[in-house]
Amino acid sequence: MGTVEPQVASDAQTPDSKDQVTDGFQLVIDALKLNGLDTIYGLPGIPITDLTRRAQAAGLRVLSFRHEQNAGYAASIAGFLTQKPGICLTVSAPGFLNGLNALAHATVNCFPMILISGSSEREIVDLQQGDYEEMDQLAIAKPVAKAAYRVLHADDIGVGVARAIRAAVSGRPGGVYLDLPAKLFAQSIDAELGKKTLIKVVDPAPKQIPAPQSVRRALDLLKGAKRPLIILGKGAAYAQADSEIKNLIEKTGIPYLPMSMAKGLLPDTHELCASAARSFVLPGADVVMLIGARLNWLLSHGKGKTWGGKGHKDWGGQKFIQVDISPQEADSNVRIDAPVVGDIGSCVSAFLSEINSGWAKPPADWTSAIQEKKTSNVAKMAETLAKNPSPMNFHSALSVVRDIVKANPDAILVNEGANALDFTRSIVDMYKPRKRIDVGTWGIMGVGMGYCVAAAVVTQQPVIAIEGDSAFGFSGMEVETLCRYNLPVCIVIMNNNGVYKGTDTDPTGRDPAPTVFVKGARYDKLMEAFGGVGVHATTPAELRKAMEQAIRSKKPTLINAVIDETAGTESGRITSLNPSAKKK
Ligand code: ADP
Ligand code: TPW
Ligand code: MG
């Protein structure tokens, strides 16, 4: 490599000589194709417009968005759903920055993704001479990416793409940045030589077998437990070890708690699912096995009152087993007594081969106490769901969504908002793995429409998006994208006129309050503007009819579900994290 002097392709080439040369554009396309990366989520412009055109002509699916952030979120969730890095393609500086949020999101959530951005002239950028869209993108991407690379020569494209793929999917997955300067695309090299520089990545995410000793240590701890609990996180969903995980839970008889995006790994209606008794099992458990879940804020850092500790930082006394591919994850918040480092499929298989028929089920007083809690909480919830207030509230609307998801268990559920998120997570049962995708580790708003596009494209299943009216606003313009590609997506906006609620006012009387929007907004009209179906629903019956129709018709549909503007609470379930709320 490196022996071929790159030269700029010129129009003077004869058709004959054209066949014998290739260029940077083509090598990027060939490298992606060779590695089975057949879908690009992006937005065209200098210097990548021709890349999008030629990729499409070469048979790749090129999905063009209205804003790079949404293309990026689409790529990130495509990575989660498929275990292949989702590809996001943007222009330089501003397009790159728009995509960067999604790259950070992918890294934080452990989703494999590659952000490919065109960039300006290196020598001008580095001397800060003021190039078109000048920016040192590589340096800016590094802190939020798992890895970042730049390719300067066409004969290095194969290596650049291969390294990006490996970095994205091996070990703990994450977001990778690949910087492709404008000059690279036009470089032409001999086609045969170019072909030889491409790399088909062999075994990009190798199995990581756990040490036998760590497996035994974990099982010894679990065996001695009186009140064991398994927590499944989105890493477990990502790993696609669904039957192994189901076997582990059913063979041991240990109650489990799914984190938000692990819902449905086993059906939420499973007798061992402890979701409806969460606040009982966390402080009550004596040994907890974490499978693909971090002890971050979503699990109150493994300590404090949630876990039965006296003060907010006090240990509850639990022993932890942590199954994770990252050797650095253990002890990040509390002591991990039995770390098991490896990929979840291999780890859970190793547990299963040690667990024979002689495994004693957990003591009945633990499992029956959980059962009791569940029964009473489920009954309480059923009572609330059965009410039919006017206007609708979150419960009466979500009771409809719950039925629709039950009747369509293969549909993907996209979910964002505050109350719209928290209530959906607790009310709507999931029945199959990787069907629920949401705001993830950051509780980020704006993933909605990008997730809808990618979910529809990669799974070929219907998509139902339950969106807060604020949450939807972050990516709302992509309803045009849904219509353009005619995707089977049914968006339900839980329209309570604002962020958390629609009732705040400006004490000075000058402006609307920062948390409120135009009252009675008709989001359904937005969908109609692009030829999709818009429905205004004020009752559960209207909502049900519209959702059923949307699923049947497969047409892009937006249902504006009018929710009582007083129904929500500040920050949904996480009011306690709100400094101003604490002061009050
Ligand atoms: P949740 O938010 O659902 O609790 P997290 O995102 O906090 O889940 O945790 C996911 C964890 O799963 C990460 O620590 C990551 O390293 C781990 N992980 C991801 N993929 C795998 C895999 N294939 N095998 C093992 N661990 C994995
Ligand atoms: C990128 C802060 C958290 S939840 C939320 C915001 C703005 C919107 C809640 O209103 P919504 O839901 O969607 O109408 P509901 O049902 O409670 O009324 N910017 C980003 N991410 C986050 N999390 C915020 C702001 C936030
Ligand atoms: Mg709202």
Side-chain angles (χ1 to χ4, degrees), residues 110 172 233-235 238-239 259 292-294 296 324-325 342-344:
C110 317
R172 171 183 277 178
K234 59 175 150 350
Y238 173 78
M259 299 299 286
R294 289 170 285 187
N296 57 15
D324 205 290
I325 203 154
D343 70 278
I344 286 165

Side-chain angles (χ1 to χ4, degrees), residues 140-195:
I140 287 163
K142 270 183 185 163
V144 299
K146 185 181 170 193
Y149 308 105
R150 177 187 287 138
V151 182
L152 293 180
H153 299 291
D155 55 4
D156 286 330
I157 287 171
V159 168
V161 171
R163 298 212 72 192
I165 292 170
R166 248 184 222 290
V169 297
S170 64
R172 171 183 277 178
V176 176
Y177 176 58
L178 189 61
D179 192 82
L180 303 182
K183 266 190 175 173
L184 174 77
F185 296 114
Q187 284 175 23
S188 64
I189 62 173
D190 178 87
E192 266 311 302
L193 281 176
K195 202 172 166 190

Side-chain angles (χ1 to χ4, degrees), residues 435-507:
K435 295 300 184 185
R436 190 192 147 85
I437 51 182
D438 65 26
V439 299
T441 303
W442 266 345
I444 202 166
M445 296 299 116
V447 292
M449 297 305 105
Y451 275 21
C452 285
V453 172
V457 165
V458 304
T459 70
Q460 307 277 310
Q461 295 293 337
V463 177
I464 297 168
I466 307 300
E467 300 271 314
D469 52 331
S470 165
F472 172 74
F474 288 74
S475 65
M477 196 63 206
E478 302 296 346
V479 296
E480 188 276 331
T481 311
L482 298 176
C483 291
R484 192 167 7 112
Y485 295 105
N486 195 25
L487 298 173
V489 175
C490 171
I491 305 160
V492 179
I493 301 208
M494 297 282 166
N495 190 355
N496 63 351
N497 293 340
V499 176
Y500 314 136
K501 276 171 182 275
T503 49
D504 272 6
T505 51
D506 172 358

Side-chain angles (χ1 to χ4, degrees), residues 372-443:
E372 234 168 77
K373 271 273 171 249
K374 271 176 68 173
T375 311
S376 86
N377 285 344
V378 167
K380 251 186 261 164
M381 178 61 92
E383 217 172 275
T384 318
L385 292 178
K387 288 184 188 146
N388 189 4
S390 179
M392 272 192 288
N393 61 12
F394 287 99
H395 290 87
S396 60
L398 286 168
S399 137
V400 171
V401 176
R402 176 186 160 101
D403 292 346
I404 301 284
V405 170
K406 185 174 183 184
N408 299 280
D410 286 311
I412 305 274
L413 184 74
V414 173
N415 192 197
E416 60 177 339
N419 294 279
L421 176 91
D422 293 339
F423 285 125
T424 304
R425 190 179 55 234
S426 59
I427 293 170
V428 177
D429 289 327
M430 304 306 299
Y431 299 88
K432 295 191 175 184
R434 290 171 298 285
K435 295 300 184 185
R436 190 192 147 85
I437 51 182
D438 65 26
V439 299
T441 303
W442 266 345

Side-chain angles (χ1 to χ4, degrees), residues 277-346:
R278 188 179 196 269
S279 55
F280 175 74
V281 292
L282 291 181
D286 63 347
V287 175
V288 179
M289 176 182 267
L290 300 156
I291 304 181
R294 289 170 285 187
L295 281 177
N296 57 15
W297 70 281
L298 287 158
L299 283 169
S300 307
H301 308 283
K303 57 195 167 195
K305 292 193 173 153
T306 307
W307 293 88
K310 283 203 191 76
H312 85 285
K313 280 191 118 179
D314 292 336
W315 181 42
Q318 289 81 5
K319 303 240 176 207
F320 287 101
I321 299 161
Q322 184 158 35
V323 181
D324 205 290
I325 203 154
S326 165
Q328 283 165 283
E329 185 53 38
D331 303 328
S332 55
N333 284 278
V334 292
R335 181 174 65 230
I336 301 298
D337 298 275
V340 183
V341 176
D343 70 278
I344 286 165
S346 300

